[in-house]
C-alpha cells in the first residue's frame, strides 16, 4: 500500500496518541531527523536537517536497523565468497543484490519520512505509512 503525505505546521504538530507506524497505544515521543532537499539548480543542491518529535513504539523505532543488519550480513557473505572461497560471480552477485534489496526494504521500515520543508508557510510534509494514522492526523492538523 502506498504511504500518504500529510502537511503540518513545523512549530506545532498535533499527533494522534498512538505509534505513527503500527498504531500501538504504547509509544514514546522520539526525535526523528532527516536531511531534506530544499532546492536544486542543475548540480547544486541545498539541504536542511529537519528534526521532529514523533510518537513511535520501541519495535517500530528500531525495525529498520534489523533490515540494515541483514543487508550487511549478505554483503559480507558475498565478500567472503569473493575473498576466501573464490566462489563464482553468480554466487557473489546473488548475495550483493540481496543485500541491496534488504537495504531498500530497511529504508521503507522507518516510522515515517520527512519529504520536505516549506519556508514560506513554515510547514513540513510527512510521508506516513499507516493510513489510519495519516487520516487521523490530516483531520487534526487542518
Amino acid at each position: 500500500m502506498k504511504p500518504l503525505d500529510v502537511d503540518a505546521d513545523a512549530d506545532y504538530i498535533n499527533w494522534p496518541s498512538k505509534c505513527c507506524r503500527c498504531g500501538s497505544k504504547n509509544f514514546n515521543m522520539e526525535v526523528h531527523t532527516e536531511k531534506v532537499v530544499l532546492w536544486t539548480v542543475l548540480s547544486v543542491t541545498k539541504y536542511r536537517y529537519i528534526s521532529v518529535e514523533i510518537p513511535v513504539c520501541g519495535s517500530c523505532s528500531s525495525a529498520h536497523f534489523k533490515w540494515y543488519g541483514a543487508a550487511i550480513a549478505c554483503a559480507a557473505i558475498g565478500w567472503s565468497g569473493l575473498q576466501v572461497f573464490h566462489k563464482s560471480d553468480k554466487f557473489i552477485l546473488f548475495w550483493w543484490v540481496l543485500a541491496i534489496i534488504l537495504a531498500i526494504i530497511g529504508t521503507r521500515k522507518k516510522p515515517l519520512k520527512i519529504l520536505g520543508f516549506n519556508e514560506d508557510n513554515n510547514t513540513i510534509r510527512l510521508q506516513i505509512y499507516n493510513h489510519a494514522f495519516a487520516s487521523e492526523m490530516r483531520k487534526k492538523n487542518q
Side-chain angles (χ1 to χ4, degrees), residues 64 67-68 102-110 129:
H64 61 287
W67 289 94
Y68 293 152
L102 291 173
I104 290 169
I105 291 171
T107 61
R108 295 174 186 252
K109 291 297 181 181
K110 289 186 176 183
Y129 300 97

Side-chain angles (χ1 to χ4, degrees), residues 31-100:
V31 176
H32 180 80
T33 303
E34 287 199 44
K35 186 177 179 181
V36 176
V37 175
L38 295 180
W39 55 261
T40 301
V41 177
L42 297 175
S43 64
V44 179
T45 304
K46 181 179 177 185
Y47 295 97
R48 179 175 178 179
Y49 285 94
I50 306 291
S51 293
V52 178
E53 274 199 13
I54 63 171
V56 64
C57 67
S59 61
C60 291
S61 175
S62 62
H64 61 287
F65 291 121
K66 296 171 188 169
W67 289 94
Y68 293 152
I72 291 169
C74 288
I77 291 169
W79 183 255
S80 67
L82 176 67
Q83 296 297 317
V84 179
F85 302 113
H86 306 290
K87 293 284 185 176
S88 69
D89 291 341
K90 290 179 183 177
F91 174 86
I92 297 161
L93 184 63
F94 167 78
W95 286 104
W96 286 354
V97 168
L98 184 59
I100 292 168

